[in-house]
Amino acid sequence: MRLIFKYLLFLCAISHSLGLRRFWRGRYTKGGGLGDPSKNSQHLLGSDGSAEELWFTQQLDHFDPTNDRTWQQRYYVNDKFYQPGGPVFLMIGGEGEATAKWMHQGAWIKYAQKFNALCFQVEHRFYGKSHPTDDLSTENLVYLSSEQALADLASFITAKNQQYQLVNPKWIAFGGSYPGSLAAWLREKYGHLVHGSISSSGPLLAKIDFVEYFEVVRNSLATYSDGCVSAVQKSIEQVELLLKHMIGQRSLNEKFKLCDPVEKSITNPLDIANLYENLAGNFAGVVQYNKDNSPHSKVTIDDLCEIMVNQTIGAPVSRLAVVNSLMLNVSEEKCLDFKYDKMIAEMKNVSWDAESSEGGRQWTYQTCTEFGFYQTSENPEALFGDRFPVEFFVKQCTDIFGAKFTNDSLSRGTDRTNMMYGALNPKTTNVLYVHGTIDPWHALGLTKTMDNEMPAILIDGTAHCANMYEPSDKDLPQLKQARVQIEKYIGNLLETESNWEVNKV
């Protein structure tokens, strides 16, 4: 009954159909990999959440001294807690718009109060309002890379040291999701500028075929019950059966509120693959942000599984349709848009005014050139079947960005990323890696303490970046303890190095 009531509430929120789905390549199209720091605005520390937008002049290309083109990068500052001699905290922006709310909320602000830190947040190039170029053409996106982003941060730190006349400052970098990776790599590549980093939910291994993602989704759903997993798998099998004949196809149109008749796409494997990936994405987004205390987690694993095990709704495919309706309503979409060509057309739009410019096109480019990270399902026995293999994603690179974006170029790109940063064997110090067992991204991260120089915390039962959000009394005890340990680690960084023995909270 709790979920049915929530479902009815969401029915009132339908307004329009978006060209791109809500959850795309492991990130929400609104907000990227890291959402606002709290569901509850009352958690603000005596502030309305506003902060002045500031701008920093950056080089377009840090690695070509003959290129003198510059652009304006957005950043925020909070000096409310700073005392001379205190550390400098840097929140790294990622694959979405930076938000002023993070300057007054989140666990890092609690640490800033504790250690009298000066706080900066820097927006990632090509995301939010930080526009290095006139548009997002493939020719311009050559300046979008993790290497350039790290150099942006190094330039920013150097300039602020001079501006604030900081002597031997101890900068501590914070980041969650892709910025969690950047936080670790910033310490690795610019250790003379950054004293330490807290890397939350950051994937370190660039991998094209990220088959482990949905394996973790399956395991995370199983924390509710094996019956939930079984029902999801049966529902996908029933979709396959309904696709085999005209009556079943028309039934799918109605059940899943498809924007276009599926019978017209039955001979187009790309449309069908896109349909299945959409259905899988309904679960992926919920699992990834399950109960993380952010606005991303409006729906939880419990909510989805309550539907999937509820036999009074009907057959498993009917329950899957209710899940789909719920997620459409959460994202204010009238229908499920699964047409491949329509998706590609939107992603090819190079305007800063396009819907895809909110991060979808940029993040897709980075996956096509640096990371892969494709959440595939290509085994008939897998939870979501075999309809969206790795080739489906690589083809999107070619169709969106051009013929030179191939499997070979992607392999070279991911190999280069792993070579530059060390993948799961980084040679660095003063970085604490934090992950949650529910979060599928932990499969590509450092989750076990290698030695005292590379400690890790694996928090049982928590999801993506959960440790970064505004603390709540409802947080799991192990999440509360993890925040205590992170604070202790920061204290150790700022005072003296000490033994650090932790593996799983």
Side-chain angles (χ1 to χ4, degrees), residues 148-262:
Q148 294 283 4
L150 292 174
D152 285 341
L153 297 172
S155 296
F156 180 87
I157 291 170
T158 301
K160 294 308 168 185
N161 285 341
Q162 296 174 356
Q163 178 183 344
Y164 286 82
Q165 298 181 345
L166 302 175
V167 180
N168 297 322
K170 289 187 176 180
W171 286 74
I172 306 295
F174 295 80
S177 193
Y178 163 51
S181 310
L182 292 176
W185 297 336
L186 183 65
R187 166 62 186 169
E188 180 180 1
K189 296 300 182 182
Y190 296 96
H192 61 294
L193 296 175
V194 179
H195 184 65
S197 296
I198 308 299
S199 171
S200 299
S201 299
L204 298 183
L205 175 65
K207 186 177 184 183
I208 300 174
D209 190 358
F210 186 12
V211 65
E212 296 89 349
Y213 187 95
F214 279 109
E215 292 175 358
V216 178
V217 169
R218 182 186 190 117
N219 294 337
S220 297
L221 293 175
T223 63
Y224 180 91
S225 73
D226 290 337
C228 179
V229 174
S230 177
V232 172
Q233 191 154 13
K234 288 178 181 177
S235 72
I236 296 298
E237 294 170 356
Q238 290 176 359
V239 170
E240 284 282 359
L241 291 174
L242 291 174
L243 282 172
K244 294 182 182 301
H245 52 83
M246 182 66 72
I247 295 177
Q249 293 160 13
R250 292 175 177 172
S251 173
L252 290 175
N253 293 336
E254 181 179 354
K255 284 179 178 293
F256 290 92
K257 302 180 181 179
L258 303 184
C259 298
D260 296 280
V262 73

Side-chain angles (χ1 to χ4, degrees), residues 1-9 303 306-307 310 312-313:
M1 291 300 296
R2 175 172 64 89
L3 200 284
I4 297 299
F5 177 70
K6 179 182 288 191
Y7 172 65
L8 291 174
L9 285 178
D303 293 332
E306 281 181 17
I307 294 173
N310 187 349
T312 64
I313 296 174

Side-chain angles (χ1 to χ4, degrees), residues 54 265 350 485:
L54 300 172
S265 295
V350 302
Q485 292 185 285

Side-chain angles (χ1 to χ4, degrees), residues 254-356:
E254 181 179 354
K255 284 179 178 293
F256 290 92
K257 302 180 181 179
L258 303 184
C259 298
D260 296 280
V262 73
E263 57 265 30
K264 293 184 178 180
S265 295
I266 201 65
T267 59
N268 186 341
L270 294 174
D271 284 351
I272 302 303
N274 211 29
L275 172 62
Y276 274 84
E277 201 211 346
N278 270 276
L279 297 178
N282 287 336
F283 292 87
V286 169
V287 168
Q288 183 168 308
Y289 294 98
N290 184 60
K291 300 179 181 178
D292 65 3
N293 199 29
S294 83
H296 279 335
S297 57
K298 293 179 181 178
V299 181
T300 68
I301 290 174
D302 293 347
D303 293 332
L304 297 190
C305 284
E306 281 181 17
I307 294 173
M308 292 308 303
V309 301
N310 187 349
Q311 298 183 17
T312 64
I313 296 174
V317 69
S318 297
R319 302 172 219 166
L320 182 67
V322 172
V323 166
N324 183 66
S325 295
L326 173 62
M327 300 311 296
L328 286 175
N329 292 321
V330 169
S331 54
E332 301 182 354
E333 297 174 83
K334 290 182 179 179
C335 57
L336 178 60
D337 198 343
F338 67 97
K339 298 291 286 185
Y340 180 84
D341 288 345
K342 190 174 179 180
M343 175 187 75
I344 295 299
E346 175 60 31
M347 293 300 294
K348 291 178 72 172
N349 192 331
V350 302
S351 170
W352 281 111
D353 296 326
E355 183 182 7
S356 59

